[in-house]
């Protein structure tokens, strides 16, 4: 029998952790499939998408810069992916391609797995870019009543509210004093900005964490301990990095491709190992 194929499409894809966590998942379930890196520039995208219509292809993950462009090249888009405005997973069923977005599930599942007792009422979200769109819908799924959105570019936060969740999102002035007041009532603070990968880099002054109530959770989408998370832990708050979101979004993709329950523990262990190799 032909070996099945699945891969990640992007430009670049060299840095992606997905192959390192997806391959062990296929192996653990004894599925004869290979997960590959498929570097693809914009001109190559149509042919690449055509290639996943073939019978040996399960589908693909799609990453930057193609999450929007791919929507023009496939047959169906799930309502969730349409609402988020981006496709990160393509599923091939007999040559028919459906685009989905698994980031919303990834964030929601990661947060509830880490904090099963969490009570989510008011949240503060930093950032209003692509990832913030999925996080907004995850916070909605988890039952948040109000999400204050703090973004350097306030107009972008306003657009996010209008396009994603007008009844849930509440853009606030991007100044420290406004944020200080909002944090006093937040049960969750999410960093959905890209600030934090490097030591000494943080989206907000770290002393603002003192404003959060006891028992609050700080979640960062960056895949490792950021200064924000280290400060949150020091302050006795819950702290969660973005690796769990990556793993759970990948697990949902695995389930869509195979119809089988993903071995999340296997994927998490592989992702942690891969991250450690790169540290
Ligand atoms: P994006 O669309 O480029 O948006 C970047 C966001 O970060 C914008 O809100 C931007 O604010 C803000 N920002 C950038 N630099 C900043 C700084 N120095 N201080 C404050 N805000 C800053 O990026 P994205 O796709 O949303 O990704 C955001 C982060 O999430 C990245 O670190 C990415 O790796 C991570 N991510 C993780 C997962 C996961 O599975 N864990 C999934 C997706 C993304 P302005 O609008 O004012 O420019």
């Amino acid at each position: 029998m032909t070996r099945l194929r699945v891969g990640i499409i992007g430009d670049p894809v060299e840095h992606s952790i997905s192959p390192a966590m997806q391959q062990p998942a296929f192996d653990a379930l004894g599925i004869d499939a290979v997960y590959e890196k498929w570097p693809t520039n914009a001109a190559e995208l149509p042919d690449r998408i055509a290639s996943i219509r073939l019978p040996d292809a399960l589908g693909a993950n799609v990453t930057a810069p193609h999450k929007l462009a791919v929507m023009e090249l496939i047959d169906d888009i799930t309502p969730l992916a349409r609402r988020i405005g981006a496709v990160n997973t393509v599923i091939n069923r007999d040559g028919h391609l459906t685009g989905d977005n698994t980031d919303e599930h990834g964030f929601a599942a990661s947060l509830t797995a880490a904090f099963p007792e969490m009570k989510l009422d008011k949240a503060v979200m930093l950032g209003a870019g692509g990832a913030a769109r999925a996080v907004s819908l995850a916070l909605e799924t988890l039952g948040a009543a109000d999400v204050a959105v703090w973004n350097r570019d306030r107009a972008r936060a306003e657009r996010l509210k209008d396009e994603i969740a007008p009844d849930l999102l509440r853009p606030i002035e991007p100044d420290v004093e406004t944020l200080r007041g909002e944090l006093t009532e937040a049960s969750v603070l999410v960093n959905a900005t890209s600030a934090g990968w490097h030591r000494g880099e943080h989206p907000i002054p770290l002393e603002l964490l003192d404003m959060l109530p006891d028992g609050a959770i700080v979640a960062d989408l960056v895949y490792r301990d950021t200064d924000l998370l280290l400060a949150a832990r020091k302050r006795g708050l819950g702290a969660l990095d973005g690796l769990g979101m990556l793993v759970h979004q990948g697990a949902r993709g695995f389930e869509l491709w195979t119809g089988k329950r993903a071995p999340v523990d296997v994927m998490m262990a592989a992702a942690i190992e891969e991250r450690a190799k790169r540290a």
Side-chain angles (χ1 to χ4, degrees):
M1 225 179 92
T2 321
R3 195 168 199 208
L4 298 167
R5 293 182 296 126
V6 58
I8 180 158
I9 297 171
D11 187 16
V13 290
E14 211 36 61
H15 63 284
S16 172
I17 292 179
S18 294
M21 70 173 179
Q22 293 285 359
Q23 191 61 54
F26 286 108
D27 297 346
L29 268 62
I31 299 171
D32 188 19
V34 58
Y35 188 104
E36 300 174 328
K37 289 179 182 172
W38 290 336
T40 305
N41 64 33
E44 295 164 337
L45 190 61
D47 283 350
R48 177 69 73 189
I49 296 300
S51 78
I52 57 174
R53 294 183 188 276
L54 298 174
D56 64 334
L58 294 172
N61 282 129
V62 182
T63 188
H66 302 317
K67 288 184 182 186
L68 269 72
V70 71
M71 296 170 88
E72 303 299 321
L73 301 168
I74 56 182
D75 306 308
D76 270 334
I77 295 165
T78 63
L80 179 64
R82 207 171 273 294
R83 200 167 161 207
I84 293 174
V87 159
N88 75 346
T89 305
V90 176
I91 306 107
N92 177 27
R93 299 238 191 287
D94 301 325
H96 182 97
L97 300 184
T98 300
D100 205 345
N101 192 305
T102 62
D103 276 342
E104 180 261 354
H105 169 80
F107 184 73
S110 171
L111 200 55
T112 44
F115 302 102
E117 307 293 322
M118 173 189 66
K119 294 205 181 5
L120 178 56
D121 180 21
K122 291 190 172 190
V124 173
M125 181 172 70
L126 310 174
R133 301 172 78 88
V135 168
S136 300
L137 294 183
L139 292 171
E140 182 184 270
T141 301
L142 295 173
D146 174 80
V147 178
V149 185
W150 191 91
N151 197 53
R152 291 183 309 190
D153 173 358
R154 164 123 193 213
R156 200 173 181 189
E158 295 287 351
R159 285 200 299 280
L160 182 79
K161 167 194 161 87
D162 293 343
E163 291 172 18
I164 292 286
D167 296 336
L168 178 69
L169 303 180
R170 183 168 51 84
I172 57 173
E173 279 303 317
D175 62 62
V176 167
E177 282 320 307
T178 303
L179 186 57
R180 191 185 294 279
E182 292 290 342
L183 289 174
T184 58
E185 292 190 12
S187 44
V188 174
L189 168 66
V190 185
N191 177 29
T193 77
S194 35
W197 180 260
H198 302 287
R199 287 279 163 262
E201 182 184 271
H202 26 83
I204 57 170
L206 297 178
E207 47 99 6
L208 286 187
L209 294 180
D210 289 340
M211 304 312 297
L212 284 164
D214 289 344
I217 295 163
V218 179
D220 202 318
L221 266 53
V222 174
Y223 302 144
R224 69 176 191 195
D225 269 347
T226 58
D227 283 1
L228 187 72
L229 292 179
L230 293 173
R233 221 169 271 135
K234 203 164 163 191
R235 155 90 168 70
L237 301 166
L240 179 69
D241 70 50
L243 198 69
M245 176 177 176
L246 180 76
V247 169
H248 284 277
Q249 70 75 29
R252 172 56 67 92
F254 181 94
E255 291 175 355
L256 291 167
W257 297 320
T258 65
K260 298 193 188 318
R261 185 179 288 270
V264 175
D265 292 352
V266 170
M267 297 176 82
M268 182 64 91
I272 290 171
E273 197 182 321
E274 183 65 20
R275 177 177 64 182
K277 278 189 204 159
R278 297 165 185 218

